[in-house]
Amino acid sequence: MVLTQRLARPSVAAERAMAAFVRSGGIMQPIWGALRGQFFQNATQMGALYVDVANDTVTVTKPKVEMMPLDEAGIVNIRDLAHFAEIAGKYWKARIIANHVAPSLAPLLPMVAIFGEREARLTSICDYMVRLMMQDRFKMAEQWVAEMPSPSAEIMAHYRANLPETLRLAAGQDGREAAIAACRQARAAGRWKCQSWLTAQMQEIGDLINL
């Protein structure tokens, strides 16, 4: 059960204290970002505190819980796609290139992460990155798919064979041009402010990330 659900019906002293804190206007919310320039990190902000209750997930020798003043934690928002690619390179050992394999998804998922030579993954489906693309009206996504390298012919062929027909790159279609056009069309249609479009896109995207 997530913390917000538990605080709605607190059953132990700690939960009652936290629920009272929130009712009094205190901040208690999940946060995500780049931690100390090395990792993508999920944690919780509790007032002015940074709290990670799974601190040993990556390095098992670390303390299980880490708590410190938020301004000392070293967690920052992902600024842009280049920043995301930098952290992904360090944390995932991945190379981040352009999504030319599923052009219609490029406004929200402009990147493909390459692991080793052959494994690829459309990215990033996390709420923060999707919202970042929408707040920017897909300009950042358009620049990324316009300037970054394309996937290899092998990866392009893999996605062409496995994506639903409505999403795959058509024979003879240029993936870069199609992805740029998709970003421009989404911006012109005002998709950056359309929650129903976002919901429909995310439902369609959900089953595709690990293709």
Side-chain angles (χ1 to χ4, degrees), residues 46-196:
M46 294 184 175
L49 293 177
Y50 165 93
V51 181
D52 179 6
V53 297
N55 188 52
D56 59 344
T57 299
V58 176
T59 306
V60 296
T61 56
K62 286 184 176 181
K64 293 184 181 299
V65 177
E66 184 173 54
M67 182 182 299
M68 65 181 66
L70 183 61
D71 60 4
E72 297 178 11
I75 189 168
V76 299
N77 290 331
I78 296 294
R79 299 184 301 273
D80 50 33
L81 294 177
H83 189 198
F84 181 96
E86 175 191 348
I87 303 301
K90 296 175 181 177
Y91 187 32
W92 296 345
K93 309 301 181 189
R95 184 166 57 95
I96 309 298
I97 59 175
N99 171 14
H100 297 158
V101 298
S104 66
L105 302 182
L108 296 180
L109 299 183
M111 300 177 287
V112 171
I114 307 296
F115 303 86
E117 294 300 320
R118 302 181 65 179
E119 183 184 353
R121 184 186 308 157
L122 287 163
T123 194
S124 169
I125 197 174
C126 78
D127 289 344
Y128 178 91
M129 293 303 296
V130 168
R131 289 294 180 184
L132 187 61
M133 297 305 99
M134 294 187 73
Q135 290 169 8
D136 181 60
R137 303 188 184 189
F138 315 117
K139 295 175 184 177
M140 196 184 306
E142 180 185 342
Q143 182 176 4
W144 188 267
V145 296
E147 297 178 357
M148 292 297 108
S150 293
S152 67
E154 183 179 14
I155 290 172
M156 295 288 284
H158 168 79
Y159 276 101
R160 189 175 291 114
N162 288 280
L163 284 170
E165 187 173 356
T166 55
L167 296 178
R168 73 180 63 149
L169 190 67
Q173 187 179 26
D174 182 274
R176 189 182 304 273
E177 291 180 359
I180 292 170
C183 293
R184 292 176 177 174
Q185 290 163 6
R187 182 164 57 252
R191 301 301 191 194
W192 49 272
K193 58 183 177 181
C194 183
Q195 183 61 46
S196 60

